[in-house]
């Protein structure tokens, strides 16, 4: 079976194919869904699989998901008022156009670097 290396002899750490990881291990997302965080522990194992092939390419991308032990995970730290203010300030900065200094209700696309009006995107659509 491809990508099945529970001893870690081939890939350096225990490796499993998708959906065959043993119980007691979880990805970061799975830990977060349980209200946990890795707590500084090292990666215990990994899952390898082939992703989709990019357009025009003959090879598929190799994808990886790192697994952490659930018994060593710690609860997520609670949101404090200071952290809440910091997150609000970060989001406000992402919604403020650097050119016209207007704060919008949406996050400004990083591909444009400024609001669509300053980028000339809206003018191009109207023409």
């Amino acid at each position: 079976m491809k990508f099945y290396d529970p001893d870690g002899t081939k890939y350096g750490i225990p490796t499993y194919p998708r959906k065959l990881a043993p119980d007691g291990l979880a990805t970061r997302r799975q830990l977060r869904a349980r209200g946990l965080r890795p707590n500084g522990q090292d990666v215990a194992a990994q899952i390898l699989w082939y992703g989709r092939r990019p357009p025009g390419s003959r090879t598929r991308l190799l994808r990886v998901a790192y697994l952490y032990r659930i018994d060593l995970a710690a609860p997520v730290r609670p949101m404090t008022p200071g952290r809440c203010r910091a997150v609000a300030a970060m989001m406000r900065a992402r919604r403020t156009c650097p050119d016209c200094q207007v704060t919008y209700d949406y996050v400004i696309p990083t591909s444009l670097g400024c609001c669509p009006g300053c980028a000339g995107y809206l003018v191009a659509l109207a023409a």
Side-chain angles (χ1 to χ4, degrees), residues 17-118:
R18 285 176 57 182
K19 299 183 181 179
L20 288 181
D23 293 334
L25 298 176
T27 63
R28 283 184 178 268
R29 279 191 185 191
Q30 291 169 337
L31 288 175
R32 180 60 84 157
R34 295 179 181 201
L36 300 172
R37 60 185 169 91
N39 197 24
Q41 64 176 300
D42 291 332
V43 174
Q46 66 183 354
I47 297 174
L48 291 177
W49 75 97
Y50 284 117
R52 290 188 176 198
R53 186 173 49 214
S57 175
R58 294 179 151 253
T59 59
R60 295 185 295 174
L61 297 176
L62 185 63
R63 306 287 310 266
V64 63
Y66 297 114
L67 300 172
Y68 301 91
R69 291 181 45 188
I70 296 173
D71 59 341
L72 297 179
V76 176
R77 294 185 184 111
M79 183 66 84
T80 63
R83 286 179 64 197
C84 190
R85 284 191 303 272
V87 169
M90 288 186 285
M91 292 307 296
R92 187 170 43 256
R94 292 182 64 194
R95 294 188 340 255
T96 304
C97 176
D99 294 341
C100 63
Q101 297 298 316
V102 175
T103 302
Y104 293 95
D105 294 336
Y106 56 88
V107 175
I108 295 173
T110 56
S111 60
L112 297 178
C114 57
C115 67
C118 292

